[in-house]
Amino acid sequence: MNYSFLSPIFSWIEKKAVHSLYPYFLTLTLILLSLFFATPRYLYLDSMPEIKEGWEIVMLKSKDLTNSLKHLKADTHSAKTVFRLTVPVFVKLFSANQVITYFIQVFLGFVLILNLYKISNKIFENAISATFVTSGIVFLYFGRACFVDFTWYDGWAFFALTMALSVRNVWMLSFFCLIAAWTDERALIVLPIIMLFKQIENNKSGDFSFKNLCRLNKASIFVLSSIGLYFIVRGTLMLFYNMHTPNASADLSTLKTNLPVIGFGFWTFFEGFWLIILVALIYMIYNKNYMLALFILLQIIISSLVSFSVFDITRSGSYLVPILFVTCIYLKEKMEIKEINLHLFAGFLLTFLFPAYYIIGTLGMYQPIYFEALNFILNKTL
């Protein structure tokens, strides 16, 4: 098939990318585009009780980090934030209010997107590839959470996960792994992705055998140690302070309730970038790299089951996004860069064209203001 119509796009990116400020301009442009297509509900902040309650819990935890939140209904989101201490600790240390905390979150979002470009560029050594990876992720919940979320603080975990992918110092790696885990337990579940990434990121031999994957390096050991430390501290808090996360509305009965929207929810994890993951899995099987394919599939299955067992399907599954970089490393070793760029462009385009929906279980699809306003205008006009 002739893809020559894409040549002007590729050439334009190559021309612009030679400038040292290109990653920063790209990041700012993508943020503005993301905000246009998924407008945060700034005008509704004072009238949205879940946002008020979310901040009240952050303040409560900042004043008493060991508060067990037993006074809250077990099936609410707030009741499940017992061990989500990253933001409360930040608020406690810096005496931050809600506005300051949000602007810090926006700054983290800027660094997150910039870091996505740098990670991608390091993997592919190609500005076109890095541009399409970054541009696509910005239009996933993973890429826009820091700008549109006022209650869940997933963006802090996403930032920490991307930093864990990129840092070289093992102590900083451990720090960011712990920051992510203490922001949300779903980040803890995907830390094996960080381990896998660290195992193969410098793999220039193309050896993805089981033996090579299981030969832990220093970085992987530190990730594993971070997981162990998390469980030790959490166990101590449970034992001495009676802190427990209630499992109401987070079980198999919720999964059964979510069945009608599971397919759509599953799609929103990666949207168009499912194409990249599928292509990578096909190559792994074709090249008999069965264990790598199995590791990736197991992580997707485990995280997906967790996502389908709660009502916040899209945001839960978005924690899987770092696995995309594992598949990128693999494809870099197995495919020509031109072919990779075509796949990445297709993934980006599908992701961009798909509306910014969040699947929230039985509540259905959450739409950003942009689409609500567009629907209002169309209904009044037609």
Side-chain angles (χ1 to χ4, degrees):
M1 186 177 293
N2 187 358
Y3 293 100
S4 58
F5 69 95
L6 292 176
S7 296
I9 298 175
F10 292 175
S11 298
W12 184 86
I13 294 173
E14 284 184 323
K15 181 180 178 181
K16 297 297 181 182
V18 299
H19 298 288
S20 59
L21 294 179
Y22 173 76
Y24 300 93
F25 285 119
L26 175 68
T27 297
L28 183 59
T29 301
L30 291 174
I31 290 172
L32 294 175
L33 283 173
S34 178
L35 290 175
F36 177 75
F37 289 108
T39 311
R41 296 173 168 248
Y42 298 120
L43 300 178
Y44 298 90
L45 284 179
D46 291 334
S47 60
M48 296 182 72
E50 63 270 24
I51 293 178
K52 288 184 176 181
E53 180 183 343
W55 179 248
E56 288 171 358
I57 297 305
V58 168
M59 289 300 296
L60 178 62
K61 292 291 290 183
S62 70
K63 295 173 182 176
D64 179 12
L65 296 175
T66 60
N67 193 306
S68 62
L69 303 181
K70 296 290 186 182
H71 65 287
L72 300 174
K73 291 179 62 177
D75 62 347
T76 62
H77 164 76
S78 296
K80 295 176 176 61
T81 61
V82 178
F83 293 102
R84 299 175 190 177
L85 303 178
T86 297
V87 177
V89 167
F90 169 82
V91 171
K92 185 180 186 70
L93 290 176
F94 299 98
S95 301
N97 59 27
Q98 189 173 14
V99 175
I100 291 174
T101 303
Y102 173 71
F103 278 109
I104 293 297
Q105 181 175 289
V106 169
F107 173 75
L108 296 182
F110 183 92
V111 177
L112 182 155
I113 295 170
L114 183 64
N115 206 26
L116 292 175
Y117 179 87
K118 291 181 177 180
I119 295 170
S120 305
N121 201 27
K122 182 180 178 183
I123 292 172
F124 291 112
E125 300 175 314
N126 185 275
I128 298 172
S129 308
T131 298
F132 289 143
V133 170
T134 308
S135 300
I137 293 178
V138 165
F139 294 99
L140 298 174
Y141 177 72
F142 187 95
R144 61 174 174 263
C146 283
F147 313 106
V148 302
D149 167 40
F150 306 98
T151 305
W152 299 320
Y153 302 105
D154 295 308
W156 295 65
F158 297 160
F159 161 79
L161 288 171
T162 57
M163 290 301 295
L165 288 175
S166 63
V167 294
R168 314 304 307 165
N169 183 285
V170 290
W171 294 104
M172 291 302 296
L173 168 63
S174 183
F175 171 76
F176 283 117
C177 286
L178 289 170
I179 289 292
W182 288 111
T183 302
D184 195 294
E185 294 84 352
R186 282 161 282 215
L188 175 73
I189 294 172
V190 302
L191 286 185
I193 298 175
I194 308 299
M195 285 185 62
L196 183 58
F197 180 88
K198 294 299 180 181
Q199 284 293 104
I200 69 172
E201 67 172 330
N202 296 317
N203 185 352
K204 301 301 182 182
S205 64
D207 181 8
F208 297 97
S209 64
F210 178 75
K211 181 180 179 180
N212 197 40
L213 292 175
C214 292
R215 189 186 296 118
L216 297 182
N217 56 34
K218 188 176 181 180
S220 300
I221 291 171
F222 266 74
V223 176
L224 191 60
S225 299
S226 301
I227 296 172
L229 178 60
Y230 173 89
F231 279 112
I232 291 172
V233 176
R234 181 167 176 142
T236 302
L237 293 173
M238 292 172 64
L239 181 63
F240 290 100
Y241 296 97
N242 196 29
M243 294 170 65
H244 300 277
T245 301
N247 62 0
S249 298
D251 49 29
L252 292 179
S253 64
T254 305
L255 189 151
K256 184 177 179 181
T257 304
N258 285 336
L259 283 176
V261 295
I262 278 179
F264 207 178
F266 189 68
W267 164 259
T268 61
F269 297 173
F270 292 100
E271 297 180 15
F273 281 136
W274 278 117
L275 172 65
I276 307 302
I277 294 172
L278 180 61
V279 169
L281 288 172
I282 291 173
Y283 267 80
M284 289 174 196
I285 294 171
Y286 177 79
N287 290 293
K288 299 181 180 180
N289 299 127
Y290 300 126
M291 292 311 301
L292 180 58
L294 180 61
F295 287 157
I296 290 174
L297 286 172
L298 281 176
Q299 183 67 64
I300 291 174
I301 291 169
I302 292 169
S303 293
S304 296
L305 286 175
V306 171
S307 302
F308 301 146
S309 297
V310 296
F311 287 118
D312 298 321
I313 295 176
T314 295
R315 59 178 288 256
S316 300
S318 295
Y319 280 84
L320 272 170
V321 165
I323 213 167
L324 178 65
F325 294 100
V326 174
T327 61
C328 285
I329 291 175
Y330 185 84
L331 290 177
K332 173 63 165 57
E333 298 299 321
K334 303 298 180 182
M335 295 176 65
E336 294 292 331
I337 194 65
K338 289 185 178 179
E339 191 176 1
I340 290 174
N341 286 341
L342 292 175
H343 284 88
L344 290 174
F345 176 78
F348 152 71
L349 188 61
L350 286 170
T351 303
F352 173 74
L353 293 176
F354 187 78
Y357 286 124
Y358 313 100
I359 307 303
I360 309 180
T362 54
L363 296 179
M365 298 184 296
Y366 171 88
Q367 294 177 301
I369 286 180
Y370 174 80
F371 289 99
E372 292 177 355
L374 184 62
N375 289 336
F376 177 80
I377 294 170
L378 290 174
N379 289 334
K380 290 294 184 182
T381 304
L382 298 178

